[in-house]
Amino acid sequence: MIKQFFKISFYAFITFCTFNFTLLVLLIFFQSKIKETPEIFIGFPINFYKLFPNESMIYATRLDWANFFYNLLLFWILVFLYFTFKNNKQQTINNKNE
């Protein structure tokens, strides 16, 4: 049980990091084509980190820990559901073969 929890947590964290890094790279690439000074918002579906220029062109940052943990929890739930459905499907196939 605890092993399964850590396995799901590990895969959720890796999925979260990979997804947000890929989204960040695409955001920087596309905004650099549109704007000279891109605004960066990290996080999906809730932005948890913002990097944006102010009036004097000095970048200001904002990190919201609550939104970070909400995003991480969302990815944990998605990975948990994936493993649950995957295991149920395998059990159904094994029961039919017996």
Side-chain angles (χ1 to χ4, degrees):
M1 182 74 148
I2 293 176
K3 185 179 177 182
Q4 186 74 9
F5 172 77
F6 284 118
K7 180 180 177 182
I8 290 172
S9 297
F10 174 75
Y11 282 117
F13 185 73
I14 295 299
T15 305
F16 171 77
C17 290
T18 304
F19 186 79
N20 281 309
F21 179 75
T22 305
L23 193 64
L24 174 66
V25 169
L26 291 174
L27 179 74
I28 291 172
F29 176 72
F30 288 122
Q31 280 202 0
S32 67
K33 298 290 183 185
I34 297 170
K35 295 182 177 181
E36 188 173 311
T37 57
E39 297 175 353
I40 297 172
F41 301 102
I42 303 173
F44 181 80
I46 305 168
N47 294 331
F48 60 86
Y49 183 80
K50 297 176 183 174
L51 178 76
F52 52 93
N54 57 14
E55 293 82 26
S56 61
M57 296 308 291
I58 298 173
Y59 276 93
T61 61
R62 184 174 160 263
L63 175 63
D64 191 357
W65 285 102
N67 290 348
F68 175 78
F69 288 118
Y70 291 145
N71 279 338
L72 196 56
L73 179 66
L74 176 72
F75 276 90
W76 195 92
I77 291 170
L78 290 174
V79 171
F80 174 76
L81 290 174
Y82 169 76
F83 276 108
T84 302
F85 289 131
K86 183 178 129 180
N87 290 340
N88 286 341
K89 186 176 179 181
Q90 287 177 351
Q91 288 175 355
T92 305
I93 290 172
N94 290 339
N95 290 340
K96 287 183 181 180
N97 289 338
E98 293 176 357

